[in-house]
Amino acid sequence: MLNSIPKHRRLVGVMVASLWLGACAGTGPVAKKTAPLSESVDPTSTLYSDQKPAAPDAADVIALLEKQVASAPGQAEGYLRLGVAYRHIEQFDLAAQMFEQAAALSETPFVARNELGILHRVKGEFKEAEAVYQRILADAPDFHDAHFNLGILYDLYLRQPRAAQKHYQAYIQAAPEADERVEKWLVDLERRHQIDASASAGVVGD
């Protein structure tokens, strides 16, 4: 299971490529379509008419995202993208500011808060991350990404297997298209800690 979970600090190069494609869509003369934040951009798609651009370095991506935020300061999505980019280059204070701004601008701030929780986890602030996720679930009990991240937090960082089991189960129940990995993580967790598979079924919270 440990090998199945992506490291909380992904390679900057991977982040750069994905953010660059998402940020460039609709900004240049060769762009054909804009991919919303919720969709992953397929680097093999025919996004560009002639050729795929070489991925720039992180500074170029940050500069482009900062320009987009400046041009549309009232849109939460720009702050959210920029916060993720800052987090990947470990500009944590700036990332937190972006996530807070995104949450303030959004009628449903749970995505931005979820990213803030991930930021706390990346910084090793596990209790702060737990509090953020629990706050989300207090307002939106079926927000499955918070259950997903709480499961990981309890399983790998806070070593609370029963709490992890509960949130893995809640995630599987709440997510429209549940990540198939989570079922494997849940089985592995119950095996490692000899927990009855039905012990927390259907229970959410904490």
Side-chain angles (χ1 to χ4, degrees):
M1 172 178 175
L2 296 178
N3 293 331
S4 300
I5 300 177
K7 295 180 180 178
H8 57 260
R9 297 182 181 176
R10 303 173 186 168
L11 294 175
V12 171
V14 175
M15 178 277 295
V16 166
S18 61
L19 283 173
W20 175 251
L21 288 174
C24 282
T27 62
V30 294
K32 288 187 174 181
K33 63 180 180 179
T34 300
L37 180 66
S38 60
E39 295 181 4
S40 60
V41 179
D42 180 0
T44 65
S45 66
T46 56
L47 185 63
Y48 297 89
S49 57
D50 298 322
Q51 60 181 6
K52 301 181 184 71
D57 61 24
D60 290 336
V61 173
I62 294 291
L64 179 59
L65 292 174
E66 287 175 338
K67 182 178 179 180
Q68 291 184 341
V69 166
S71 67
Q75 296 184 7
E77 179 180 313
Y79 292 98
L80 192 61
R81 286 184 180 275
L82 186 54
V84 171
Y86 280 141
R87 188 178 65 210
H88 277 286
I89 63 170
E90 299 187 353
Q91 293 290 328
F92 296 141
D93 289 342
L94 289 174
Q97 292 174 26
M98 295 303 103
F99 295 143
E100 293 287 2
Q101 186 65 25
L105 289 171
S106 177
E107 294 182 1
T108 54
F110 311 122
V111 172
R113 291 184 191 172
N114 185 64
E115 295 293 344
L116 184 61
I118 295 172
L119 174 64
H120 282 303
R121 191 190 72 201
V122 169
K123 294 171 65 179
E125 298 169 350
F126 303 139
K127 285 298 183 181
E128 289 83 352
E130 178 187 27
V132 169
Y133 298 137
Q134 288 180 337
R135 179 187 172 193
I136 293 171
L137 292 175
D139 295 335
D142 291 329
F143 187 77
H144 52 82
D145 285 343
H147 285 299
F148 177 93
N149 284 304
L150 264 176
I152 293 174
L153 186 71
Y154 286 131
D155 187 4
L156 300 183
Y157 299 92
L158 295 179
R159 306 299 182 185
Q160 298 180 34
R162 291 189 179 276
Q165 179 198 35
K166 178 162 49 182
H167 287 284
Y168 283 154
Q169 290 174 336
Y171 166 78
I172 292 169
Q173 293 174 5
E177 296 181 4
D179 190 323
E180 294 179 355
R181 296 174 300 170
V182 179
E183 291 188 5
K184 297 178 182 178
W185 299 348
L186 179 58
V187 169
D188 181 71
L189 173 78
E190 291 167 346
R191 177 189 57 78
R192 283 186 285 118
H193 297 281
Q194 298 183 341
I195 301 174
D196 185 342
S198 61
S200 298
V203 181
V204 296
D206 290 345

